[in-house]
Amino acid sequence: MKPFLISLLALTLSSAFRTSENSVYICDTKTSEVYHITKSCNALGRCKHEIITVTKEEAEKKLGKRACKVCG
Ligand SMILES: [Zn+2]
């Protein structure tokens, strides 16, 4: 593999990791007060609404949510 491709791959992987590190999942309903770190969280599995992905900062500061006790 060419060095260029390797560095491109490393860059892609590291940015993908950063994104997943900052992303949290929210059940899109007004009664939900928490955000979830993992999409496979049991509490999130009970969500009957749409699951939206936002950054952790958005969830806390803009939406006023707190970390889920199950997966957080
Ligand atoms: Zn959770």
Side-chain angles (χ1 to χ4, degrees):
M1 199 182 273
K2 288 176 178 149
F4 171 72
L5 286 176
I6 293 170
S7 62
L8 191 71
L9 185 70
L11 196 72
T12 307
L13 286 175
S14 69
S15 69
F17 182 72
R18 262 204 309 276
T19 304
S20 67
E21 202 177 35
N22 289 329
S23 291
V24 296
Y25 304 98
I26 290 172
C27 183
D28 192 15
T29 170
K30 289 191 173 64
T31 54
S32 164
E33 293 174 344
V34 297
Y35 62 80
H36 304 270
I37 307 298
T38 58
K39 205 172 187 178
S40 56
C41 175
N42 286 339
L44 194 61
R46 290 198 294 269
C47 176
K48 297 284 185 288
H49 300 262
E50 199 178 343
I51 294 168
I52 54 171
T53 309
V54 296
T55 64
K56 193 177 175 182
E57 195 172 330
E58 272 183 324
E60 286 180 346
K61 291 177 183 170
K62 279 170 69 181
L63 303 167
K65 312 241 185 231
R66 56 189 164 76
C68 168
K69 286 197 177 89
V70 180
C71 65

